[in-house]
Amino acid sequence: MSIRALWAIMVGVVLMGASPASAANRVALVIGNSSYTSVPTLPNPRNDAEDIAAALRNLGFDVVEGRDLDRRGMADAVRRFVRNLPGSDIALFFYAGHGVQIGGDNYLLPIDVRAETTSDIKLDTIDVGTIMEEMGAEKRVNLIFLDACRDNPFANSLRLSSRSISSRGLARQDSGVGSLIAFATQPNNIALDGGGRNSPFTQALLKHLTTPGLEIRAMLSRVRNDVIATTGGKQVPWENSSLTGEIVLVPPPISPPPSLAAEVKSEGSKNGSDTELSFWQSAERIGTKAAFEAYKQEFGSEGRFAALANERIAALSTSNSTNVSTTPASLPKA
């Protein structure tokens, strides 16, 4: 068996033994609303959603994506996402745009939202709790990212009619078992939209989301540090987690094995001055066809154990096995 073939088998074994977080059925809902008609527009959420959706597809997610959605469009996107949830191992929801809190509940605003009372907001927006309830209906890993902590656009107009509406950011939201919810900033604070293509939070998320071998909570710590640095400490991302294990979206890279000949030679060098004998004994211990071929390559047909190496190779070729299935014959004395 060639080194390349051995390497292919090793990669296959690793993938088959991967945890659900690294080789899973993954679904995602990504929404970014920028072009509001009755409240201030936001330049970046549309870009944020586009870039996050592309990154998630590269990570193997089946993504339902929507940008600049009205109330009906947001409801349809959520409905399609919910249909994809059964049987999934990881479900992820990302939203960028306007969001408000009323009475401790968080609501996401479609672009056509109009509100004269708090009841209008509750009826004409999307409740974060409803989406989280659907995601938590089955046992899976649920990840929620909300870049929606801007100033409440209705705070001034509705403040006199209700004491339950907040003018700053989103409310703290608990996550169910196996879930993590991440906010662009801490509860009751506002997040910046940013002056570049992406918001500070999404920019940092895109930077670290695809880092190989990085556990999700460690990834969010890096995101937090980057956002704090970018905003001069004005914005501090926050998350609430009830995950029960380590979640790694991108498996760590697998280093290719060293040359088998080099491995056998290294083993042999530990066993005294008779290099050929030590090499042969190491090949016997490894017991694979490739090990005996490595001996033949190193010492050729003139090697002391060349004939025995040919027998081992022939036997292994006949049995289609990579290991010697019988006790090795006694080695001739050096």
Side-chain angles (χ1 to χ4, degrees):
M1 180 181 293
S2 68
I3 298 295
R4 180 173 295 179
L6 284 170
W7 172 232
I9 290 176
M10 289 177 64
V11 171
V13 170
V14 169
L15 291 178
M16 286 188 290
S19 66
S22 59
N25 180 17
R26 305 173 170 189
V27 297
L29 171 62
V30 178
I31 296 176
N33 287 339
S34 289
S35 303
Y36 289 91
T37 57
S38 300
V39 297
T41 60
L42 299 169
N44 288 334
R46 181 182 176 89
N47 299 333
D48 295 340
E50 181 180 358
D51 295 345
I52 288 290
L56 292 177
R57 289 189 178 100
N58 288 335
L59 295 181
F61 281 85
D62 181 4
V63 180
V64 174
E65 181 184 0
R67 285 170 276 164
D68 287 336
L69 299 180
D70 58 16
R71 176 64 175 81
R72 182 174 180 178
M74 287 185 71
D76 287 344
V78 172
R79 202 171 285 115
R80 285 186 287 140
F81 173 60
V82 169
R83 292 194 190 104
N84 290 341
L85 288 174
S88 62
D89 299 305
I90 301 178
L92 186 150
F93 172 47
F94 173 90
Y95 174 81
H98 277 303
V100 299
Q101 60 163 300
I102 301 176
D105 296 323
N106 295 314
Y107 299 89
L108 309 178
L109 275 57
I111 62 169
D112 61 343
V113 63
R114 295 177 182 272
E116 296 180 359
T117 67
T118 55
S119 296
D120 292 336
I121 295 180
K122 292 179 180 180
L123 294 172
D124 295 336
T125 62
I126 299 296
D127 183 357
V128 174
T130 300
I131 298 177
M132 292 182 63
E133 183 179 349
E134 293 291 343
M135 294 174 71
E138 294 181 358
K139 185 178 180 181
R140 65 170 63 84
V141 174
N142 294 310
L143 306 174
I144 299 95
F145 300 91
L146 299 178
D147 195 356
C149 306
R150 280 78 170 181
D151 276 324
N152 182 349
F154 305 114
N156 291 330
S157 60
L158 299 180
R159 189 174 297 164
L160 295 178
S161 63
S162 175
R163 294 182 180 181
S164 63
I165 191 164
S166 172
S167 62
R168 295 179 65 83
L170 298 181
R172 176 188 177 93
Q173 189 136 11
D174 293 329
S175 57
V177 176
S179 300
L180 178 147
I181 180 168
F183 293 86
T185 193
Q186 63 267 47
N188 302 310
N189 196 18
I190 60 172
L192 304 177
D193 198 50
R197 173 176 172 82
N198 302 115
S199 74
F201 177 72
T202 299
Q203 180 180 352
L205 189 60
L206 288 166
K207 176 181 176 182
H208 299 292
L209 186 65
T210 57
T211 302
L214 188 60
E215 205 277 331
I216 190 75
R217 283 156 290 196
M219 183 268 287
L220 287 172
S221 293
R222 297 188 184 185
V223 169
R224 181 161 39 250
N225 290 335
D226 283 1
V227 173
I228 291 172
T230 300
T231 64
K234 296 178 181 179
Q235 181 177 332
V236 182
W238 171 88
E239 70 267 0
N240 183 26
S241 171
S242 59
L243 295 176
T244 57
E246 293 190 346
I247 305 302
V248 179
L249 294 179
V250 185
I254 304 174
S255 300
S259 165
L260 187 56
E263 179 185 344
V264 176
K265 203 168 187 179
S266 174
E267 282 282 324
S269 66
K270 303 174 184 177
N271 300 321
S273 57
D274 191 339
T275 303
E276 184 180 359
L277 175 59
S278 298
F279 198 114
W280 173 254
Q281 291 173 335
S282 297
E284 286 273 58
R285 279 195 298 274
I286 294 173
T288 65
K289 179 182 176 182
F292 297 117
E293 289 175 340
Y295 168 84
K296 288 289 300 295
Q297 183 176 358
E298 187 71 19
F299 296 100
S301 59
E302 302 301 321
R304 284 178 285 168
F305 309 105
L308 194 53
N310 289 335
E311 292 179 8
R312 295 280 191 271
I313 293 169
L316 291 168
S317 298
T318 302
S319 63
N320 290 321
S321 172
T322 57
N323 294 311
V324 176
S325 57
T326 59
T327 304
S330 299
L331 294 173
K333 295 183 179 180

